[in-house]
Amino acid sequence: MEPILSQAALFCCPLCHGAITRGDTFLRCERGHTFSLSKKGYVDFVPGARAGAYDGALFESRQRFIAGGFYVEMLQTLLGLIAQYAPTGPLLDAGCGEGSFLKALMPDPSVRLCLGLDLSRPGIQQAANGGGGWLWGVGDLARLPLQDGSIGAMVNILSPANYPEFARVLGDKGVLFKVVPGDGYLREVRALIQGQLRRNSYSSRQVQSLFAERFRLLCKQEIQKTLPLSFEQARDLIAMTPLTQGIEKERLNLTALREVTIHLHILVGQRP
Ligand SMILES: [Zn+2]
């Protein structure tokens, strides 16, 4: 039995909100909406979803870049905050991409039920590669396939949020840990592509005040570090970051990109 099927009670139907039961190779709601288990062990809660802008190569770059250790300090801080504020209950990574952050955060998923959801099928396919006990699903953050109040801790790392849905699945006791870029995040990449940026309107302060409007802020931590970058890492960074979408990456002078600033805020909040 695949681990995700044995957790059927955690899920609800993203289409009709009905309860879910398991079959041999699928999860099914009481009205008959069926979500198949792939051979790799993940469940597809958005059958027929379009491929989207992110392809498999992007997630491979992202996995290599994250493995370079640039987010170690963020992950250690996050782990400490989770232990302090939300030590029990299933842990969800909402918008997990190829799963690197969830795997690094919880290398041993036997100690806590860990689930990663992302709308990108190539991302989830890569996450599920190699097994390991984490649960993975192709899922829409606007229609989470989870029961009300079922999640103890939710991480949402450098990924868009859907606060009403997050509040629903967290319930009264769950805690949201949202990681957002600070104004200095990837400063060196912004400098390299200056003039080609379509929009440069990101405001960390705006994102943080929206969080505080929707959730009761329990705690806030800031991480800021500038780290050296190899040529291969610079190439992976340019390939993975949404900043360079729509930009002619081949024309960028990557040898000029010798270091990178990782400036992040971790926001910890509870449903009001
Ligand atoms: Zn249904």
Side-chain angles (χ1 to χ4, degrees):
M1 168 82 57
E2 281 290 338
I4 195 163
L5 295 184
S6 61
Q7 298 295 335
L10 178 67
F11 297 100
C12 80
C13 178
L15 302 175
C16 72
H17 217 76
I20 292 243
T21 52
R22 70 184 187 212
D24 289 342
T25 56
F26 55 83
L27 295 171
R28 179 173 285 166
C29 83
E30 45 209 9
R31 291 197 188 170
H33 299 125
T34 303
F35 309 100
S36 60
L37 177 76
S38 78
K39 288 197 180 100
K40 287 187 170 177
Y42 67 87
V43 169
D44 194 340
F45 290 101
V46 196
R50 285 178 299 153
Y54 300 147
D55 60 8
L58 180 145
F59 288 111
E60 281 163 27
S61 296
R62 192 167 182 267
Q63 185 173 34
R64 279 195 302 268
F65 186 77
I66 292 172
F70 297 95
Y71 298 96
V72 165
E73 195 181 337
M74 179 273 283
L75 289 163
Q76 280 172 351
T77 307
L78 191 53
L79 193 59
L81 291 169
I82 292 171
Q84 185 181 349
Y85 288 99
T88 58
L91 187 152
L92 169 68
D93 184 349
C96 65
E98 81 300 333
S100 301
F101 286 137
L102 182 59
K103 289 175 182 176
L105 200 59
M106 289 284 159
D108 178 8
S110 70
V111 299
R112 186 171 196 171
L113 197 151
C114 291
L115 169 68
L117 291 174
D118 201 286
L119 191 53
S120 166
R121 188 168 295 109
I124 291 297
Q125 282 169 344
Q126 199 177 315
N129 245 341
W134 303 274
L135 312 184
W136 306 105
V138 179
D140 187 347
L141 300 196
R143 297 183 132 200
L144 289 170
L146 293 162
Q147 294 281 356
D148 297 0
S150 58
I151 296 300
M154 185 188 308
V155 298
N156 175 235
I157 304 172
L158 301 173
S159 168
N162 185 300
Y163 291 118
E165 267 300 83
F166 288 7
R168 180 182 69 78
V169 303
L170 283 167
D172 292 333
K173 292 185 178 153
V175 179
L176 172 61
F177 303 83
K178 181 165 175 62
V179 180
V180 302
D183 290 328
Y185 186 57
L186 309 187
R187 169 191 295 138
E188 299 78 4
V189 177
R190 287 171 204 274
L192 187 71
I193 61 181
Q194 213 172 20
Q196 293 193 69
L197 266 179
R198 275 194 197 156
R199 58 183 185 89
N200 199 3
S201 58
Y202 176 80
S203 156
S204 180
R205 193 180 295 176
Q206 251 172 37
V207 174
Q208 289 185 53
S209 61
L210 182 64
F211 181 94
E213 279 168 30
R214 302 300 184 89
F215 273 67
R216 189 164 61 84
L217 189 66
L218 300 175
C219 169
K220 199 165 111 173
Q221 297 264 337
E222 185 173 7
I223 285 138
Q224 189 162 13
K225 230 173 199 170
T226 300
L227 299 158
L229 204 61
S230 73
F231 180 78
E232 288 74 21
Q233 287 168 334
R235 201 172 47 195
D236 282 334
L237 175 58
I238 290 298
M240 72 166 227
T241 175
L243 278 176
T244 56
Q245 255 178 19
I247 281 178
E248 286 183 62
K249 295 170 196 169
E250 301 74 25
R251 288 176 54 192
L252 296 174
N253 177 20
L254 293 188
T255 51
L257 200 57
R258 304 292 293 277
E259 53 182 27
V260 67
T261 298
I262 302 295
H263 180 203
L264 302 166
H265 300 276
I266 305 178
L267 313 173
V268 182
Q270 230 170 0
R271 193 163 91 164

